[in-house]
Amino acid sequence: MEDTTKLNTSKLGTQQYWDDFYAVEKSNFEENPQDTGECWFDDSNAEEKMVDFMLDHLGQFCIDKNSSMIDLGTGNGHLLFQLHEEGFGGKMVGVDYSFKSVEFAQEILKTQYQDSDNFEFSAADIFDPNWQPPKFDVVLDKGTLDAIALSGLKMANGESIVQAYPEVIEKLTKKDSVFLITSCNFTEAELKQIIESESLQLWQSIKYPAFRFGGQEGSTICSLAFVKK
Ligand SMILES: C[S@@+](CC[C@H](N)C(=O)[O-])C[C@H]1O[C@@H](n2cnc3c(N)ncnc32)[C@H](O)[C@@H]1O
């Protein structure tokens, strides 16, 4: 059977694409402060479902209103801002390898959330071995593994960048940390296969409307939560 965890490459897997993308989004925002840019997977309500998941699971594992959180490939930082709006007040770190994304998220922070001192947006390639972040209660990914997979890049040791991704999560988590990821490129089964290990166990999945095709049932998007043992 074809290994569908190996996707075709695309310009969405290049840093140049994201720099150009966020440069445009930032200039749109400067012209119209209501326009905070693309909210990835908006059609499926993914962001709201991720925030609701966090609210519904307060008190479980490391999830509480003061949880420290990191959003990988944060883009405009919208997911973190939304969690903040829903009362999450712990340290919120957004990281992205596109400097333009970081500038954009910082500008939204400065203009709309100037009284909040718990946010930090910084530029880093999450695969850079010199990137030494602390551990977090909650690690978030909305669409970033999807973009990463489209790069088709390989690590120095020859493994694919997708195979290396769980090592990034390993580095960022401690016992009872929660990793919540939303993808449109991978099915639930594929995501589980990529992420799950002895130390990172599948905990929950978020339900989305399903479709049936050719006798198979599926959905166009999936969100899974894993817990660090
Ligand atoms: C599909 S966008 C999703 C953005 C945001 N999470 C959202 O939901 O709107 C993918 C993001 O991943 C970032 N990204 C891709 N590869 C990365 C890497 N190796 N390190 C850090 N960020 C990366 C891109 O710059 C882009 O902002």
Side-chain angles (χ1 to χ4, degrees):
M1 200 170 76
E2 188 191 1
D3 183 354
T4 47
T5 61
K6 297 191 180 80
L7 295 167
N8 293 330
T9 58
S10 140
K11 62 181 182 170
L12 268 73
T14 66
Q15 190 172 348
Q16 186 64 55
Y17 173 86
W18 293 110
D19 279 340
D20 295 346
F21 181 86
Y22 290 115
V24 171
E25 296 242 310
K26 182 168 174 275
S27 97
N28 291 344
F29 177 69
E30 281 157 3
E31 272 173 36
N32 172 14
Q34 305 304 317
D35 182 0
T36 52
E38 170 100 28
C39 189
W40 231 251
F41 309 146
D42 213 12
D43 295 354
S44 309
N45 247 349
E47 183 171 280
E48 195 181 323
K49 281 178 179 278
M50 289 174 85
V51 174
D52 285 349
F53 177 89
M54 295 289 295
L55 290 168
D56 291 346
H57 293 85
L58 283 172
Q60 297 188 44
F61 297 107
C62 278
I63 303 179
D64 65 41
K65 286 278 177 114
N66 291 316
S67 298
S68 59
M69 304 192 198
I70 183 165
D71 183 23
L72 305 177
T74 195
N76 55 12
H78 205 276
L79 177 58
L80 293 178
F81 292 131
Q82 216 44 47
L83 285 158
H84 172 81
E85 303 251 339
E86 292 298 331
F88 288 91
K91 180 174 160 191
M92 301 258 180
V93 175
V95 66
D96 203 294
Y97 72 172
S98 164
F99 282 95
K100 289 285 166 202
S101 134
V102 172
E103 280 175 16
F104 182 30
Q106 279 169 342
E107 192 152 324
I108 297 174
L109 174 64
K110 200 171 66 192
T111 52
Q112 300 192 348
Y113 300 91
Q114 59 274 46
D115 296 332
S116 315
D117 57 5
N118 54 328
F119 286 96
E120 184 188 311
F121 291 102
S122 59
D125 182 335
I126 60 172
F127 294 97
D128 180 349
N130 296 319
W131 181 52
Q132 292 300 335
K135 311 250 182 229
F136 290 84
D137 295 321
V138 177
V139 179
L140 302 160
D141 175 330
K142 181 158 71 70
T144 298
L145 177 61
D146 293 343
I148 286 165
L150 294 171
S151 73
L153 291 172
K154 287 202 180 301
M155 307 304 288
N157 64 5
E159 69 181 350
S160 79
I161 197 157
V162 172
Q163 285 169 317
Y165 184 77
E167 293 157 34
V168 175
I169 308 306
E170 188 65 38
K171 181 165 157 178
L172 290 163
T173 47
K174 57 190 177 188
K175 184 170 164 25
D176 290 346
S177 292
V178 171
F179 170 50
L180 178 60
I181 177 167
T182 296
S183 166
C184 71
N185 274 340
F186 297 107
T187 63
E188 277 195 26
E190 288 167 343
L191 264 191
K192 183 170 185 290
Q193 186 200 325
I194 293 166
I195 309 288
E196 201 171 46
S197 65
E198 241 172 67
S199 73
L200 212 56
Q201 295 281 305
L202 181 60
W203 172 36
Q204 302 270 345
S205 70
I206 296 178
K207 294 290 161 240
Y208 290 90
F211 66 88
R212 287 193 70 81
F213 183 74
Q216 300 270 20
E217 187 164 293
S219 59
T220 51
I221 185 168
C222 64
S223 301
L224 295 183
F226 296 83
V227 173
K228 178 77 164 274
K229 294 291 158 193

